[in-house]
Amino acid sequence: MTKHTDRPTSRRQNRTLMLSVPLVAFALWSGGIGVQAAEPATTGSLPRILVLATGGTIAGQADPRATGAYKSGQITGDQLVQSVPGLDKLAKLNAEQISSIGSQDMNDKVWFALARRIQDAFDKNEADGIVITHGTDTLEETAFFLDNVVRGDKPVVIVGSMRPATAVSADGPGNLYEAVQVAADPRARGRGVMAVLNDKIQGARSVTKTNTTSIETFNSPNDGPIGYVDTAGGIRFMAQAPGFKRTTYQLPPGEQLPRVEIVYSHANMDAVPIEDAISHGAKGIVLAGVGDGNSSKQALDALEQAAKKGIMIVRSTRVRSGFVTRNVEVDDDKNGFVVSEDLNPQKARVLTQLLIASGVTAPAELQRAFTATW
Ligand code: ASP
């Protein structure tokens, strides 16, 4: 990534939180977390955590007109941080507002702003760790994107909640507390971007949302959590941090990644969605295939034609776990296809975008990037 000085300033708030100021807890959040579990620490030795707020249900508030309804992204990062008792004992916190959106509206512009701000904070040694507050719907994509573009071994933790701040038994305060716990812990270094929700620490490559409404929704189907965290028990990582350096990609200039479409496979599939993607200028197509990344003959023929035109074709799967394997039922070598290995379609899309943006044009090179982990 090139050195970035063009930080977005429009909605950013940058206020160092006064540790001596009494906590301004929201009524419904107060008492959500036991402050007694926090490790006592002296202010001088506290790690510096930069909180980057983007919106989501964790910043959501109830809609007074409807039972159960709420709006994402209503509360600022500052307010979120100040509403959680005991956070000031864990870290010296600084909150900045990057966006105030539900993550269904997450986009390249916010991704680039996040990536540039994090890199800048690390390059200038402004923070020992980062916590990003985010909606849960596309949290895994943002985690994976950042994992692939941010350099350095300091912890980056992404956190959200399934219930808004105004819900009975909101999960946001606990999740935010645990996210700061992890980001502030030296043992979290060198593990890439992590998602912390519901007492689990999960890696950016594996984590995915698996339930529409339950707080037990984030899981890593192929390899499980990399660790666990709770206010009483502290942090338990299941293994040492990997010794190797992550591959990271340059952000392209501007604020947009190349167009890559996901085409969802199903019974009675024809070529129309593929032709549609091509006619709208897709530089790559990720197949959310059936089974081992498969699709109908019509669809595979259309994808083969697209690959011949230089469009990157990546076979992923609509199945929740497992790997997509080369040259089993589909002749990837002959067709010029790439397989996504363990990456689900939404993450395969991000990696394909980054590789195309880096100038990769050969399927074999793209395949090496997908396979690099093994
Ligand atoms: N739609 C919300 C979002 O992703 C859902 C959530 O945060 O849980 O922003």
Side-chain angles (χ1 to χ4, degrees):
M1 202 191 309
T2 46
K3 218 166 165 44
H4 302 293
T5 48
D6 52 338
R7 296 189 211 160
T9 49
S10 54
R11 276 183 287 185
R12 172 166 303 157
Q13 298 159 7
N14 185 357
R15 296 178 212 145
T16 301
L17 297 168
M18 303 297 290
L19 299 177
S20 55
V21 169
L23 292 165
V24 185
F26 291 150
L28 287 167
W29 278 28
S30 60
I33 306 185
V35 287
Q36 73 281 1
E39 289 291 320
T42 59
T43 306
S45 65
L46 288 178
R48 300 158 303 160
I49 301 300
L50 176 61
V51 177
L52 300 176
T54 68
T57 295
I58 192 166
Q61 273 185 318
D63 181 341
R65 294 161 305 174
T67 322
Y70 67 93
K71 263 188 138 172
S72 283
Q74 301 299 295
I75 296 167
T76 66
D78 261 355
Q79 289 171 313
L80 275 178
V81 163
Q82 291 186 51
S83 69
V84 180
L87 271 193
D88 58 334
K89 306 256 186 340
L90 293 177
K92 186 169 184 296
L93 295 149
N94 221 22
E96 296 180 7
Q97 200 73 33
I98 299 291
S99 64
S100 297
I101 57 174
S103 74
Q104 61 275 17
D105 288 320
M106 190 46 65
N107 55 67
D108 289 357
K109 198 167 173 218
V110 178
W111 276 0
F112 280 44
L114 276 173
R116 287 172 176 152
R117 181 64 189 110
I118 295 168
Q119 198 63 61
D120 206 38
F122 286 166
D123 291 349
K124 293 184 176 151
N125 192 21
E126 290 173 19
D128 300 307
I130 306 283
V131 170
I132 302 160
T133 59
H134 198 288
T136 60
D137 290 349
T138 60
L139 183 146
E140 65 196 82
E141 285 158 80
T142 300
F144 185 69
F145 166 75
L146 293 173
D147 196 51
N148 277 282
V149 298
V150 172
R151 297 183 315 272
D153 71 346
K154 288 182 177 174
V156 177
V157 175
I158 188 161
V159 62
S161 76
M162 293 300 287
R163 298 175 184 153
T166 44
V168 175
S169 185
D171 53 329
N175 286 348
L176 183 54
Y177 188 94
E178 291 178 352
V180 173
Q181 260 184 300
V182 173
D185 193 306
R187 290 171 301 159
R189 292 178 79 121
R191 296 177 189 272
V193 178
M194 291 160 280
V196 171
L197 297 99
N198 208 27
D199 300 343
K200 291 185 203 157
I201 310 167
Q202 316 210 49
R205 185 166 179 122
S206 316
V207 69
T208 190
K209 187 173 183 177
T210 63
N211 188 289
T212 51
T213 53
S214 168
I215 59 166
E216 174 47 28
T217 181
F218 282 94
N219 283 299
S220 297
N222 282 321
D223 46 9
I226 61 169
Y228 296 89
V229 51
D230 68 60
T231 48
I235 297 166
R236 296 177 175 98
F237 281 109
M238 303 309 288
Q240 297 286 331
F244 59 84
K245 259 191 167 345
R246 285 177 300 123
T247 308
T248 47
Y249 300 96
Q250 298 274 111
L251 278 185
E255 292 185 325
Q256 219 177 338
L257 292 168
R259 189 171 191 92
V260 173
E261 297 288 351
I262 296 173
V263 170
Y264 200 94
S265 192
H266 50 83
N268 208 18
M269 174 94 174
D270 63 20
V272 171
I274 294 155
E275 289 159 1
D276 206 42
I278 297 167
S279 73
H280 283 91
K283 304 277 179 280
I285 297 174
V286 174
L287 179 71
V290 293
D292 190 7
N294 214 336
S295 200
S296 66
K297 180 166 171 9
Q298 269 179 293
L300 290 174
D301 286 349
L303 290 172
E304 188 186 348
Q305 292 313 311
K308 286 205 174 86
K309 290 186 192 142
I311 296 167
M312 291 292 179
I313 306 300
V314 178
R315 293 196 299 114
S316 182
T317 177
R318 64 182 204 179
V319 179
R320 211 189 79 179
S321 63
F323 297 78
V324 178
T325 309
R326 282 189 74 81
N327 300 322
V328 180
E329 278 192 278
V330 178
D331 192 340
D332 296 296
D333 288 348
K334 174 176 149 290
N335 295 336
F337 295 166
V338 171
V339 296
S340 74
E341 297 280 348
D342 57 325
L343 289 183
N344 66 22
Q346 54 272 33
K347 290 186 195 177
R349 174 178 173 270
V350 172
L351 189 56
T352 306
Q353 289 180 299
L354 288 171
L355 268 290
I356 294 173
S358 313
V360 168
T361 52
E365 210 182 329
L366 189 60
Q367 185 65 75
R368 273 196 292 280
F370 274 89
T371 314
T373 309
W374 321 117

